[in-house]
Amino acid sequence: MSTQCTAEQLVFQGFEGARVVADFNGGEITSDAGALLLEQSEQAVGIIERLAACCIDERNQDRVKHPLRSMLAQRIFGLCLGYEDINDHEQLRYDPLFQMICTKAAIAREREDREALAGKSTLQRAETPGNERYH
């Protein structure tokens, strides 16, 4: 049986100015393309936006690196994709597709130009009961 290979590119709907293409040539890849479906669901329903609106973020906004909405998206999308362990976010925070859907911003072409998502320690502080800065 011969193997069939294709050089065809699959172009998906753009996102916030970013081009989303599957070209099967390697390079920068995502750990889970199912995140695209989750992002489309979020656009239709807006549950993360509504959850973020219910939270009071009392952190000093001049020092905030990761917006609360982004951290909520990161954790919720991670859970939906099967990453229940917060330690998984140490790798997920660098995933280009995961970054795009969690920040709702176009991503730069080069990894060095892109901001990583929140790490496990930042997410843990936000989830820990009794941490009054996130209520």
Side-chain angles (χ1 to χ4, degrees), residues 38-70:
L38 287 175
E39 194 280 326
Q40 290 294 309
S41 299
E42 169 57 19
Q43 279 189 12
V45 177
I47 194 156
I48 293 172
E49 293 297 333
R50 293 188 303 199
L51 282 172
C54 293
C55 299
I56 299 169
D57 187 356
E58 295 181 347
R59 297 176 294 168
N60 180 347
Q61 296 301 306
D62 293 335
R63 301 185 72 196
V64 169
K65 187 173 183 179
H66 305 287
L68 185 58
R69 188 254 176 238
S70 176

Side-chain angles (χ1 to χ4, degrees), residues 1-59:
M1 176 184 286
S2 64
T3 303
Q4 294 181 356
C5 297
T6 180
E8 180 182 339
Q9 289 186 339
L10 302 175
V11 180
F12 297 94
Q13 178 180 352
F15 180 81
E16 298 280 327
R19 189 166 176 243
V20 179
V21 177
D23 66 9
F24 310 103
N25 288 328
E28 232 177 356
I29 60 172
T30 184
S31 59
D32 196 332
L36 287 170
L37 178 60
L38 287 175
E39 194 280 326
Q40 290 294 309
S41 299
E42 169 57 19
Q43 279 189 12
V45 177
I47 194 156
I48 293 172
E49 293 297 333
R50 293 188 303 199
L51 282 172
C54 293
C55 299
I56 299 169
D57 187 356
E58 295 181 347
R59 297 176 294 168

